[in-house]
Amino acid sequence: AQTVTQSQPEMSVQEAETVTLSCTYDTSENNYYLFWYKQPPSRQMILVIRQEAYKQQNATENRFSVNFQKAAKSFSLKISDSQLGDTAMYFCAFRVFGNEKLTFGTGTRLTIIP
Amino acid sequence: DVKVTQSSRYLVKRTGEKVFLECVQDMDHENMFWYRQDPGLGLRLIYFSYDVKMKEKGDIPEGYSVSREKKERFSLILESASTNQTSMYLCASSSPGGGDYNEQFFGPGTRLTVL
């Protein structure tokens, strides 16, 4: 069974600063995908960024980037130049290649302070 | 614009009532999911459907059942609601990806309170 751990229940950072959210996972599989989802207050969950385990290059999406360390089973999310709209719950998620189901972490509540 | 909708944003029911939560997607997705979200526990999968009339238990199916009579609609049923089923319920859908990302798209959620 796969598990996903987010060790930071809450974080806060000043606007325009950089913040890193941590995520570790446990699996015996070799082929899988990793995701970061964002859930703004009272709004729908949306995908922020995704990474294929077989790709060594870290994924980036504008101000969002990941640090994927496969051997360490670590998948952290870095948000650069943080904005007020980044305030949200962030969930790390894992999916095995060929399996439709996602396993989620417990989430990190991120607050951007003006 | 892709869309997953849920029938209610907020719902209040009494213990013992039968509760239906409805989810509709307009993306022609084969896969649909029901999760519950609780503070400190993240999202946990209740049931998953990969085709019409097909379903698979998730991690916490006890006390729930599902129905998928049409491709676009996936219903979660609480046969006899209990207070420990007070939670946020999220529906999601995706295409079967296998070797692809097959991103899940989420609905806005239904916050259910059982009194």
Side-chain angles (χ1 to χ4, degrees), chain A residues 33 39 44 95 98 100-101, chain B residues 31 37 56 99-100 102 106:
Chain A
Y33 301 102
Q39 186 182 41
Q44 277 165 261
R95 182 173 75 78
E100 306 295 337
K101 292 183 276 189
Chain B
N31 299 330
Q37 181 181 356
E56 192 173 306
D100 199 357
N102 74 326
F106 284 83

Side-chain angles (χ1 to χ4, degrees), chain B residues 22-41:
Chain B
E22 305 285 339
C23 175
V24 177
Q25 51 94 4
D26 65 358
M27 296 165 282
D28 201 35
H29 284 165
E30 283 80 1
N31 299 330
M32 296 188 76
F33 307 82
W34 274 108
Y35 296 92
R36 67 176 280 176
Q37 181 181 356
D38 299 288
L41 297 178

Side-chain angles (χ1 to χ4, degrees), chain B residues 48-62:
Chain B
F48 158 54
S49 170
Y50 50 92
D51 201 351
V52 175
K53 297 190 186 296
M54 306 304 286
K55 62 185 179 186
E56 192 173 306
K57 291 180 180 179
D59 300 318
I60 52 165
E62 297 78 20

Side-chain angles (χ1 to χ4, degrees), chain A residues 23 36 52 55 66 76 102:
Chain A
C23 173
W36 279 99
E52 295 154 306
K55 286 188 176 178
V66 298
S76 60
L102 284 173

